[in-house]
């Protein structure tokens, strides 16, 4: 034992119902170290973290093999409580927050400071009352450590995601014995500037001697802050490298298992197509993404990117035009006025939409893949259906054939066209969404956050597909929080700030220009506070 | 905050409007004064037609006879089991009408005891006549001034003998737990069984789903529809079927007649009870409420089905008689024509007048105001 | 140009005014509808108001405790607890035994409580276990649980009592020696054991309440001096309280029947005690954990709260409270039907709390009490209103049931509608919350 | 081995338990000397007469309004249609089809209004449906008393209004479908007409669910936000589902009544929806998703157990008064509770 490790995992193996999902994982973690774990979706990162955190799902399915040592002592972690008392904290990918509680209540969740009450003297601890004064003080302290200026008694519901994330972190650092802190894809939901804030906070925590396990897809972030990097693929540990000894390209290669080249920009620039979509004074009442008085023109055959910080309204544009949220203003499609607030009309005019809320709006989770692919076209264009006078019946044969074709074309990994969509991975679900949008044969395709929550391989395929469609003549309007992604495929990029277009840039414009437009107004101030 | 004060304000307005009404009420001070004898009123509480048509019609008839200013008519809820509080409220409201001297309640369903108690707290002088009680006899006898019921204890023996007389070799008794917790019905069953066995009749005890349980009325009726043919197939044509619940009667009669069994009598004997519906008797407008005509019709239908001599009932609709007797007795009591609140002789005299013949009236053991009425059967 | 702006602002003010009025209407439309309906009903029925007040007082004191027992499971995210029927069964079992032993009055009530509590806890534990296995379907499970235990209750009291469980009591047991009779009469025993412990005339209670209210208002006023909005509220509250006292004195002076109405103070104190307890309980660690579990089971589990245990405790508390509530109900009714009194408890309590504005996920004490008041007002007024309207006793009865259920349906519809309207009027909704 | 396990898993442990219980009851009937053929015939009739009513739950669950606790509305419409046909003194099949024809417009109208109401209360449909159903039953009680029907077959013996039970015997309606082309298979009587009618209804609904509208409706029920985005008018399709459910309720009660031999007015429709809901839930449906298999399995298990359980229990407990019904209540509800605890595990 040359070095003193805070946490060690030795030959950890886990299988569900006979399928091995993790095999012989070894991991060493020192105090103050930031250790990144990267891997595609399904590589076993989440399972590993669930084991470490003693989640019930592990133990109700037969536990795990191997050994976990904490400060050199073997530990059997069988419940989250036990993990917490062993000094392991976790910042979950899905926020473990209660929206109707204040930040304080969330930070002190199940660790409330108590004081005696009239009844507690008879009935024990459970009837002690909460001591809000000292709870607020603790919460303040934790927030201050992270340099967050928000009031501790604010209700969590309605806060920007960034603050929610910090609330989670504050909760972990408020724990007195915290030694290891696990971040499960913390930046997936954050806008870029928020993510930068988060990374800074992580560094600060590491400097205080807390060991950090950092799970992510974003390799550039890894390179920015991690000390050591472990790559998982298909449940196996592929490599552990110190940061200095590796590069983004190598990591990507290790993760995907095949050579990855940088996304090629398209060459056939569309500079002067006619205006296919003209948006005038558009306002959309989408909670959290309000658009107010936005003007924008889209040329035929281009890929237009819409970027901007979270909450500034970029997501609202597509949602408003597609009639999903109440909107007002004038939208001309090919010079014709589009009736707003009517999804059917939008689809009829040749618009299609890949929603950012895949599971909520994008899919019929409990229906088959084939039904998900054809339903929009079936309902709006009358395809895949046989008519008998006033009656109609599904054309099962045509649907099956078409679905098989799309599955093959888009490489949707599934057991067959009748599989239920809920059982697919995020990337494959996204492909099903794309297949459905394509089935509509749209002139204009709106794409919102097409790569969110998708692993690198699938991400690339999605973007490639978009480019290919564009080359076939489809106009694409792509909204994304990842500027790099926009810059890699778009012809022009509109930055939306405060519900309107702050400016339109070319993808080759300098970072400074993008930065200025995005942070143009008070947003920058707020976030750095 | 504003909202809450406004809600308070609204409730206050409601209460204030009550207070206004209260002032109005206070002026005439109606409850106490001993005005001339003319001021009497009698309240009748009956079922709706959903539960039983007879009582409701009779009550309406009594109201017609004496005028709506004399007779108040109200009903207890169809779901009396669930809504005992409504029974109480309706009873209290009737009792608090100025001038009400007596209340007749037929049937005295669960909730009657509590209702009578609540009324007695405020108006201790009201005369209560309760018919066909479903509450426990010992309890209800303490609450009412006069309680009238069919002699279910006597009927235990009577039905067994009567079935024998109609040629029965087997007697099937359909009931369910809730009814078997009613003293009279449980005892009647025991007596019926005892007598049947003495007479050499096989006694079969069958449970049916409780119509107030999760199976509902359809569940009960459907079970009877299916089970009666089974029983007749098993024990032969000379099987008599008897059920304790009103909802059972229609399928019982229909299946007994259709399969050649014997139907000795209904739970609540009356030519109107279940027979017209089960036998699909059309009632033209001019024949409504005509008992002899109805008996004739039933006889005809029974004969058509080839079941002559195998269906029977009581010739007098019992619950109707209880209502009429209750009202007449109450009038007699108000006019001072009775010997105290409980006068058996007067009651018997009134009932004989209604029935048009001798009436067999006995007291339930241990009480002096719980009267049991037994009639002979009318065999079609 | 100037004129234009002036017009603009005045229109804006008007809109704001209109929005706040319509916001108020949407927020309280259920209450408003009910009050209007009740007033119309009172007017139509021409009902004696003494009778109404008397009846509403006894119904409110009978039912409030039961309805309040529904709050805790709602907070713990388990929906409306239809299984309080089991608590009612425990209460009835206790009452039957206490009546058998002949313990009367208040000591009898205490004995009932002592007996019913462990039974209710055991039943609550079982129900809680079941609910943990049927998460998300607690309400339907609760209903079926009620049916299931009705069978067991029948089995015990119809087949075992008198046989395996010895009970020698002619009054209670059927003459065959096995099984409890259909009616249990509490007269001379437990009847009014709590209600008559301490009673005061309504007017006295009003005066006392008014004085206490004034004292409270003054206390609040002194504590928050200076705020102008507080001033208005203080004056409003003060005026209300004075109005109550003056009104009480007027009733006394008028010699109306209303002054004869007496209030079961002991029962009301018990209800008030429960309200205080619930308020306090929600501030305790256990209560806070329940709220957490109710908000999000998963988050609670991750935070290390023993979710299943908390849920079981919530149901057990609800069950015990329901059994106490049912004891209060029974001692006021004075007689009950052995095999039927428990049946309707669940549905009517749930209906009452829903009308008060509660939902499956949110319930407060105020909603429970308001609900009891409104629900029973409707039930008192509707029969005679129906009779007066149609001049036919049974049509009146049918009409009552139609209105009662219809109103509950409409209430639910309006609550849902309200939620939609509020989400469309975000500004007003936000203002209302503050 | 795996195939069996998958089959078991697919069918659901809960349903297997209930099925096992049902079979156990049937097997027990043999040594108890019950007439098994007769029991099966009764079960067949009972299952088929309830079939359409349970089928009515399918569209309502699929369109997203949850199990139709307000089926009473459809039932009332059916009864109204039946009563009108009675008033016209129609006989036999003419009466049956005329009843359906008369009931349909009412059912469509009522279903439309009811669907409109349900659209106002998204998320609280079931509670609302229950109370609306009860309320409508009470309203119709007034209707049965007041409506101007004059046929003496249906009149009260003593006063105004319609009887609680209106017999269909005189109109050649009783067991009309049951006896149509019925034949004996061994000792089992097969109610061919009833069977055919039920199958035709199933087929019709199945075809509808596969039509463009049906697909849209299912999507609207499965994920309303998705449906909205896919250009489907969610509210309209929820109304269509509700109308279909109401119409099926109306047809269902007519089928039920012809087998039963009576129209049950007044309280009759009150608790029927609960039983239909229980049946489809036992068949494996959830409040969000249902299929034809759920309908058929559910009605067979639920009604089958009801038919077979009572005679078996009655023999078992002959010496203990009322023990049979107590056992039925405990066992039947116990099984449903057990099934509920298993739903999650699937």
């Amino acid at each position: 034992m040359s070095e003193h490790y805070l946490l060690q995992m030795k030959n950890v193996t886990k299988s569900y119902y006979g399928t091995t999902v993790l095999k012989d994982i070894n991991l060493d973690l020192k105090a103050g170290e930031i250790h990144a774990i990267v891997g595609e979706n399904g590589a076993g990162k989440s399972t590993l973290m669930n084991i470490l955190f003693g989640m019930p799902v592990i133990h109700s399915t037969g536990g795990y093999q191997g050994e976990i040592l904490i400060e050199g002592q073997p530990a059997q972690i069988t419940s989250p409580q036990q993990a917490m008392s062993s000094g392991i904290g976790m910042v979950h990918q899905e926020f473990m927050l209660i929206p109707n509680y204040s930040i304080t209540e969330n930070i002190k969740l199940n660790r409330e400071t108590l004081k005696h009450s009239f009844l507690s003297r008879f009935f024990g601890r459970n009837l002690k009352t909460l001591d809000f004064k000292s709870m607020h003080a603790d919460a303040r302290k934790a927030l201050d450590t992270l340099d967050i200026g928000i009031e501790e008694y604010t209700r969590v519901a309605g806060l920007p995601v960034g603050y929610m994330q910090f609330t989670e972190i504050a909760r972990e650092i408020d724990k007195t014995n915290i030694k290891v802190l696990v971040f499960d894809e913390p930046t997936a939901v954050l806008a870029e500037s928020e993510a930068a804030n988060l990374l800074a906070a992580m560094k600060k925590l590491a400097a205080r001697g807390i060991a950090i396990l950092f799970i992510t897809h974003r390799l550039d972030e890894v390179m920015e802050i991690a000390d050591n990097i472990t790559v998982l693929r298909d449940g196996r540990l592929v490599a552990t490298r110190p940061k200095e000894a590796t590069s983004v390209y190598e990591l990507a290669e290790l993760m995907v298992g095949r050579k990855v080249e940088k996304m090629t920009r398209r060459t056939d620039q569309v500079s002067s197509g006619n205006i296919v979509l003209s948006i005038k004074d558009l306002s959309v009442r989408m909670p959290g993404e309000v658009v107010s008085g936005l003007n924008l023109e889209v040329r035929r055959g281009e890929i237009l990117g819409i970027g901007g910080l979270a909450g500034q309204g970029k997501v609202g544009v597509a949602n408003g035009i597609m009639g999903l949220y109440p909107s007002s203003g004038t939208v001309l499609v090919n010079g014709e006025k589009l009736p707003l607030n009517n999804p059917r009309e939008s689809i009829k005019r040749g618009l299609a939409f890949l929603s950012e809320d895949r599971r909520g709006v994008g899919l019929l989770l409990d229906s088959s893949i084939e039904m998900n692919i054809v339903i929009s076209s079936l309902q709006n264009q009358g395809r895949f259906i046989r008519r008998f006078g006033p009656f109609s019946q599904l054309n099962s044969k045509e649907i099956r054939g078409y679905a098989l074709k799309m599955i093959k074309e888009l490489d949707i990994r599934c057991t067959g066209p009748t599989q239920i969509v809920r059982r697919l991975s995020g990337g494959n679900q996204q492909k099903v969404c794309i297949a459905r949008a394509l089935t509509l044969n749209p002139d204009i395709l709106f794409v919102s956050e097409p790569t969110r929550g998708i692993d690198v391989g699938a991400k690339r395929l999605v973007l490639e597909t978009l480019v290919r469609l564009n080359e076939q003549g489809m106009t694409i309007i792509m909204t994304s929080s990842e500027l790099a992604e926009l810059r890699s495929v778009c012809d022009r990029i509109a930055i939306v700030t405060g519900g309107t277009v702050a400016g339109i840039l070319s993808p080759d414009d300098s970072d400074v220009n993008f930065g200025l437009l995005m942070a143009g107004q008070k947003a920058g101030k707020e976030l750095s506070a | 905050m504003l909202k809450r004060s406004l809600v308070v304000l609204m409730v206050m307005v409601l209460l204030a409007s009550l207070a206004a009404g209260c002032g109005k009420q206070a002026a005439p001070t109606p409850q106490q004064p001993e005005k001339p004898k003319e001021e009497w009123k009698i309240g009748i509480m009956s079922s709706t037609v959903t539960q039983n048509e007879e009582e409701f019609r009779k009550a309406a008839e009594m109201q017609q006879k004496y005028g709506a200013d004399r007779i108040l008519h109200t009903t207890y809820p169809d779901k009396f089991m669930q809504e005992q509080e409504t029974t109480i409220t309706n009873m209290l409201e009737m009792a608090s009408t100025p001038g009400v001297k007596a209340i007749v309640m037929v049937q005295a369903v669960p909730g009657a005891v509590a209702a009578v108690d609540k009324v007695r707290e405020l108006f201790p002088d009201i005369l209560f006549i309760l018919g066909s009680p479903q509450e426990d006899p010992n309890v209800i006898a303490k609450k009412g001034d006069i309680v009238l019921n069919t002699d279910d204890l006597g009927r235990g023996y009577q039905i067994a003998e009567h079935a024998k007389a109609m040629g029965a070799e087997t007697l099937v008794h359909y009931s369910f737990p809730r009814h078997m917790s009613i003293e009279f019905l449980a005892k009647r069953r025991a007596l019926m069984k005892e007598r049947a066995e003495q007479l050499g009749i096989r006694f079969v005890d069958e449970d049916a789903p409780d119509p107030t349980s999760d199976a509902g009325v359809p569940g009960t009726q459907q079970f009877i529809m299916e089970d009666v043919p089974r029983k007749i197939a098993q024990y032969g044509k000379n099987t008599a079927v008897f059920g304790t619940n009103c909802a059972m009667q229609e399928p019982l009669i229909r299946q007994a007649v259709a399969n050649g069994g014997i139907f000795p009598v209904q739970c609540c004997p009356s030519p109107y009870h279940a027979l017209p519906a089960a036998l699909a008797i059309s009632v033209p407008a001019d024949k409504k409420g005509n008992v002899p005509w109805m008996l004739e019709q039933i006889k005809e239908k029974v004969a058509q089905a080839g079941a002559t001599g195998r269906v029977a009932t009581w010739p007098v609709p019992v619950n109707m008689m209880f209502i009429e007797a209750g009202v007449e007795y109450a009038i007699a009591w108000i006019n001072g024509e009775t010997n105290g609140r409980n006068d058996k002789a007067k009651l018997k005299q009134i009932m004989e007048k209604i029935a048009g013949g001798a009436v067999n009236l006995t007291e339930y053991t241990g009480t002096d105001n719980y009267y049991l009425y037994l009639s002979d059967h009318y065999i079609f | 140009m100037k004129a234009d702006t002036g017009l603009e602002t005045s229109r804006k003010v008007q809109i704001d005014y209109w929005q706040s009025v319509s916001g108020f209407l949407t927020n309280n439309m259920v209450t408003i509808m009910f009050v209007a309906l009740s007033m119309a009903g009172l007017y139509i029925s021409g009902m004696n108001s003494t009778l109404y007040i008397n009846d509403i007082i006894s119904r409110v004191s009978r039912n409030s405790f039961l309805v309040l027992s529904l709050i805790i499971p709602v907070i713990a995210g388990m929906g409306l607890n239809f299984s309080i029927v089991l608590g009612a069964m425990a209460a009835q079992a206790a009452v039957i035994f206490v009546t058998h032993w002949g313990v009367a009055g208040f000591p009898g009530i205490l004995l009932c409580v002592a007996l019913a509590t462990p039974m209710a806890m055991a039943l609550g534990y079982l129900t809680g276990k079941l609910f943990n296995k049927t998460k998300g379907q607690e309400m339907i499970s609760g209903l079926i649980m009620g049916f299931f235990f009705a069978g067991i209750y029948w089995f015990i009291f119809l087949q075992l009592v008198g046989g395996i469980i010895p009970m020698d009591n002619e009054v209670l047991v059927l003459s065959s020696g096995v099984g409890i009779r259909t009616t249990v009469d509490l007269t001379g025993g437990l009847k009014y054991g709590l209600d008559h412990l301490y009673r005061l005339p309504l007017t006295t209670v009003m005066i006392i309440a008014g004085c206490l209210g004034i004292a409270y208002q003054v206390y609040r006023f002194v504590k928050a001096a200076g705020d102008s909005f507080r001033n208005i509220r203080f004056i409003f509250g003060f005026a209300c309280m004075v109005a109550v006292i003056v009104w009480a004195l007027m009733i006394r002076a008028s010699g109306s029947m209303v002054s004869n109405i007496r209030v079961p103070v002991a029962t009301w104190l018990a209800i008030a005690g429960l309200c205080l307890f619930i308020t306090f309980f929600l501030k305790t660690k256990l209560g806070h954990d329940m709220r957490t579990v109710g908000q999000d089971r998963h988050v609670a589990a991750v935070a290390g709260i023993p979710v299943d245990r908390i849920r079981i405790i919530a149901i057990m508390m609800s069950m015990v409270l329901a059994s106490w509530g049912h004891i209060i109900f029974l001692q006021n009714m004075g007689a009950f039907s052995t095999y039927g009194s428990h049946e309707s408890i669940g549905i009517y309590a749930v209906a009452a709390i829903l009308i008060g504005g509660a939902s499956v996920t949110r319930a407060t004490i105020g909603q429970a009490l308001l609900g009891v008041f409104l629900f029973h007002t409707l039930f008192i007024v509707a029969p005679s209103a129906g009779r007066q309207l149609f001049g036919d006793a049974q049509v009146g009865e049918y009409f009552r049931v139609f209105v009662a259920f219809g109103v509950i349906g409409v209430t639910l519809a309006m609550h849902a509608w309200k939620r939609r309207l509020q989400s469309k009027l975000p500004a007003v909704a936000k203002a209302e919350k503050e | 081995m795996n195939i069996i396990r998958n089959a078991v898993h697919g069918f659901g442990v809960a349903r297997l338990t209930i099925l096992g219980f049902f079979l156990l009851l049937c097997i027990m009937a043999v040594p108890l000397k019950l007439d098994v053929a007769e029991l099966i015939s009764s079960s067949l009739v009972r299952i088929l007469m309830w079939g359409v009513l349970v089928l009515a739950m399918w569209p309502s669950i699929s369109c997203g309004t949850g199990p139709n606790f307000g089926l009473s509305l459809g039932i009332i419409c059916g009864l109204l249609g039946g009563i009108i046909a009675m008033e016209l003194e129609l006989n036999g099949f003419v009466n049956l089809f005329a009843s359906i024809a008369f009931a349909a417009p009412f059912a469509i109208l009522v279903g439309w209004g009811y669907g409109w109401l349900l659209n106002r209360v998204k998320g609280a449909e079931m509670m609302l449906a229950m109370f609306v159903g009860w309320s409508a039953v009470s309203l119709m009680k007034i209707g049965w008393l007041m409506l101007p029907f004059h046929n003496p077959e249906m009149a009260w013996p003593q006063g105004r209004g319609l009887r609680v039970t209106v017999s269909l015997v005189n109109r050649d309606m009783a067991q009309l479908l049951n006896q149509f082309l019925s034949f004996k298979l061994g000792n089992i009587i097969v109610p061919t007409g009833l069977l055919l009618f039920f199958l035709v209804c199933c087929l019709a609904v199945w075809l509808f669910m596969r039509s463009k509208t049906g697909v849209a409706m299912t999507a609207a029920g499965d994920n309303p936000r998705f449906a909205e985005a896919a250009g489907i008018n969610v509210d309209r399709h929820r109304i269509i589902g509700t109308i279909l459910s109401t119409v099926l309720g109306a047809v269902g009660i007519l089928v039920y009544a012809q087998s039963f031999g009576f129209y049950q007015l007044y309280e009759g429709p009150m608790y029927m929806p609960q039983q239909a809901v229980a049946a489809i839930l036992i068949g494996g449906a959830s409040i969000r998703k249902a299929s034809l298999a759920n309908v058929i399995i559910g009605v067979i298990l639920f009604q089958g157990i009801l038919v077979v359980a009572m005679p078996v229990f009655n023999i078992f407990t002959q010496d203990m008064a009322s023990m049979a019904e107590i056992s039925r209540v405990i066992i039947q509800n116990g099984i449903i509770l057990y099934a509920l605890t298993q739903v999650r595990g699937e």
Side-chain angles (χ1 to χ4, degrees), chain A residues 324-325 343-344 347 357 359-364 366-367 371 375-376 378-380 385 392-394 396 436, chain D residues 206-213 215-220 222-223 225-233 237 289:
Chain A
L324 301 188
Y325 287 93
R344 208 182 159 83
I347 293 172
D357 183 2
R359 296 172 77 86
V361 180
L363 292 166
L364 289 171
D366 289 316
S367 295
M371 188 49 74
I375 187 160
S376 297
L378 186 154
Q379 288 300 332
N380 294 289
I385 220 157
S392 58
Q393 279 293 293
L394 298 182
S396 307
R436 188 182 54 248
Chain D
W206 184 75
L207 285 176
F208 172 78
M209 296 306 256
R210 282 175 52 83
S211 72
K212 187 181 164 191
T213 318
V215 169
M217 201 177 90
T218 314
D222 191 349
N223 184 346
R225 289 178 62 207
F226 170 92
E228 206 67 70
I232 295 168
N233 186 336
H237 283 91
K289 217 168 158 53

Side-chain angles (χ1 to χ4, degrees), chain B residues 53 57 78-79 177 206-207 209-210 215 221-223 225-226 230 250 272 280-283 288-289 320, chain D residues 38 46 49 141 152-153 156-160 163 165 170 256 260 264 271 275 310 314 321-322 324-325:
Chain B
E53 187 197 8
R57 299 293 185 209
D78 281 352
K79 287 150 68 88
E206 282 289 292
D207 266 14
D210 186 340
Q221 297 191 330
Q222 197 61 43
F223 173 76
M225 293 286 275
E226 287 159 8
R230 258 200 299 264
E250 276 153 28
Y272 286 120
I281 292 169
S282 303
V283 185
K288 284 186 191 246
M320 291 173 75
Chain D
E38 195 276 334
R46 181 89 80 101
M49 68 194 266
K141 284 184 189 169
E153 286 170 57
W156 280 112
Q158 298 186 46
R160 186 178 54 158
R163 282 179 201 177
T165 41
N170 286 356
Y256 176 93
F260 189 50
Q264 293 169 301
Y271 292 107
Q275 300 222 17
M310 277 313 276
N314 262 315
S322 347
E325 163 71 356

Side-chain angles (χ1 to χ4, degrees), chain D residues 85 88-102 171-173 176:
Chain D
L88 299 175
E89 310 201 4
L90 304 171
N91 287 320
F93 274 108
V94 179
N95 183 317
L96 182 65
F97 290 114
S99 300
I100 295 176
F102 291 136
R171 302 261 74 95
D172 297 330
M173 266 277 284
L176 184 67

Side-chain angles (χ1 to χ4, degrees), chain B residues 168-179:
Chain B
E169 288 158 9
T170 306
L171 177 57
V172 184
H173 180 276
Y174 289 101
S175 190
F176 43 81
R178 194 170 51 81
H179 267 182

Side-chain angles (χ1 to χ4, degrees), chain B residues 58-185:
Chain B
K58 196 67 191 180
E61 191 190 316
M62 298 315 289
Q63 195 176 28
Q64 287 252 300
K65 185 172 169 187
Y66 291 102
D69 52 334
R70 286 280 188 235
I71 307 280
L72 307 172
H73 181 195
T74 183
T75 54
Y76 51 80
D78 281 352
K79 287 150 68 88
F80 51 83
M81 238 15 210
Q82 278 88 25
E83 292 185 38
Q84 304 199 356
E85 292 188 282
T86 306
T87 310
I88 295 176
T89 299
N90 286 357
M91 184 82 98
L92 258 179
E93 203 210 340
M94 199 155 67
S96 66
T97 310
V100 166
K101 303 275 187 216
I103 289 178
V104 180
M105 181 178 184
V106 179
Q107 307 173 17
V109 291
V113 166
V116 172
D117 271 351
K118 298 280 171 200
V119 171
R120 284 261 152 94
E121 275 170 30
L122 295 174
F123 311 98
D125 293 332
I126 287 182
L127 181 83
F128 273 100
I129 300 169
L130 308 169
S132 300
Q134 293 179 23
E135 301 260 27
D136 189 70
N138 291 331
V139 177
I140 198 90
K142 272 184 257 160
K143 309 293 174 184
D145 291 295
I146 287 184
V147 183
L148 289 166
N149 201 356
T150 49
D151 186 358
D152 282 324
L153 304 181
R155 284 181 77 201
Y157 268 40
Q158 191 201 23
I159 291 172
E161 285 162 6
H162 166 65
K164 174 84 182 169
M166 289 173 81
E169 288 158 9
T170 306
L171 177 57
V172 184
H173 180 276
Y174 289 101
S175 190
F176 43 81
R178 194 170 51 81
H179 267 182
M180 286 302 101
S181 70
I182 299 177
E183 170 74 11
F184 270 26
L185 302 188

